[in-house]
Amino acid sequence: MQDNRKSVIEALLLASEKPLALEKIREVLDNLPAQDTLKIIEELKKEYEDSNRGFRIIEIAGGFQMTTATNFAPFLKKLFKDRNTERLSKPALETLAIIAYKQPLTRGEIELLRNVNVDGVMKTLVDKNLIRICGRKKAPGNPYVYGTTRQFLEHFGLKSLQDLPKMEDFSSLAQKAELIEAIPEEKIEAEGKNEPENITQ
């Protein structure tokens, strides 16, 4: 097994459709120490880069995943040019950005920032498993608060929320975010009455 550990990890990453957690890799390798496992992964990453292979290993959403090298993206676009890719709408992306940076926050807080009703957009984001209800706010009506999911990290290729671009890069959003502190209590209370009954974790 010792001589094959690198090949085993490579096979695991190739076979997994989702980012593979370090603990899962260690489990398959009879609880190989974390330091040794990470060392092998780093060796593989270096080998792929040094030999200009068509794939790379990235750390994403709390795990490791095999992906194609970004410098070959133009060729992949040609290969999949006829593929029908479903993209998020601009309103959905704006709402998702607000949730990602200010989570946890309520539907009313999101609408205050966007100045529009977000019912349809929120449903879309929940259906795509990009956001979830993660509790209730201690406020009149106890409205639900929303946050992003692990699927969100995977979708945007993020290791963690700390990898998001700095908030200062979105000055208009940052200015609007200050309005959250002044949300009228009656708005929050009304919102709490209109929220769904079931919490989805």
Side-chain angles (χ1 to χ4, degrees):
M1 170 67 78
Q2 183 171 355
D3 295 335
N4 293 328
R5 290 183 302 189
K6 184 180 292 187
S7 296
V8 170
I9 291 177
E10 186 175 49
L12 293 175
L13 293 173
L14 279 169
S16 179
E17 296 179 356
K18 296 285 186 179
L20 207 53
L22 178 63
E23 289 305 312
K24 175 59 69 174
I25 298 173
R26 293 183 59 222
E27 178 184 323
V28 174
L29 291 171
D30 299 326
N31 293 315
L32 182 69
Q35 186 175 357
D36 293 345
T37 307
L38 289 171
K39 181 180 178 182
I40 294 173
I41 292 173
E42 287 301 318
E43 288 175 358
L44 282 170
K45 289 171 67 174
K46 189 174 187 306
E47 287 177 13
Y48 298 159
E49 292 170 5
D50 290 348
S51 58
N52 197 31
R53 302 294 293 274
F55 43 87
R56 300 287 188 270
I57 296 174
I58 62 171
E59 190 170 356
I60 177 176
F64 296 91
Q65 188 170 37
M66 194 84 78
T67 66
T68 53
T70 55
N71 52 311
F72 297 121
F75 302 100
L76 295 172
K77 286 180 180 178
K78 290 180 181 179
L79 177 63
F80 296 110
K81 63 181 179 181
D82 296 327
R83 175 178 288 182
N84 202 4
T85 304
E86 185 179 359
R87 298 179 181 275
L88 289 173
S89 66
K90 183 178 178 182
L93 283 172
E94 290 175 353
T95 301
L96 187 57
I98 289 172
I99 296 172
Y101 282 97
K102 301 299 296 180
Q103 63 184 305
L105 75 173
T106 68
R107 186 188 301 264
E109 291 168 341
I110 297 167
E111 290 183 342
L112 183 65
L113 291 171
R114 293 210 57 229
N115 294 319
V116 294
N117 181 283
V118 296
D119 288 348
V121 169
M122 294 289 285
K123 183 180 186 306
T124 296
L125 295 175
V126 169
D127 289 345
K128 291 182 178 296
N129 195 30
L130 294 173
I131 65 170
R132 68 182 180 91
I133 295 171
C134 52
R136 288 181 179 271
K137 183 170 184 176
K138 292 182 179 179
N142 294 319
Y144 291 119
V145 291
Y146 294 83
T148 54
T149 63
R150 183 178 297 274
Q151 178 66 30
F152 165 81
L153 296 177
E154 293 180 22
H155 185 85
F156 290 98
L158 301 172
K159 179 180 176 182
S160 68
L161 291 175
Q162 282 65 48
D163 290 335
L164 286 167
K166 298 300 181 184
M167 191 67 170
E168 292 75 26
D169 297 335
F170 303 93
S171 56
S172 60
L173 179 60
Q175 291 170 1
K176 285 186 177 182
E178 296 175 0
L179 297 175
I180 285 182
E181 305 301 328
I183 294 177
E185 287 192 356
E186 59 268 21
K187 182 176 180 64
I188 298 176
E189 186 172 6
E191 176 196 358
K193 295 176 181 178
N194 296 325
E195 289 285 2
E197 292 299 321
N198 296 324
I199 296 181
T200 305
Q201 294 294 346

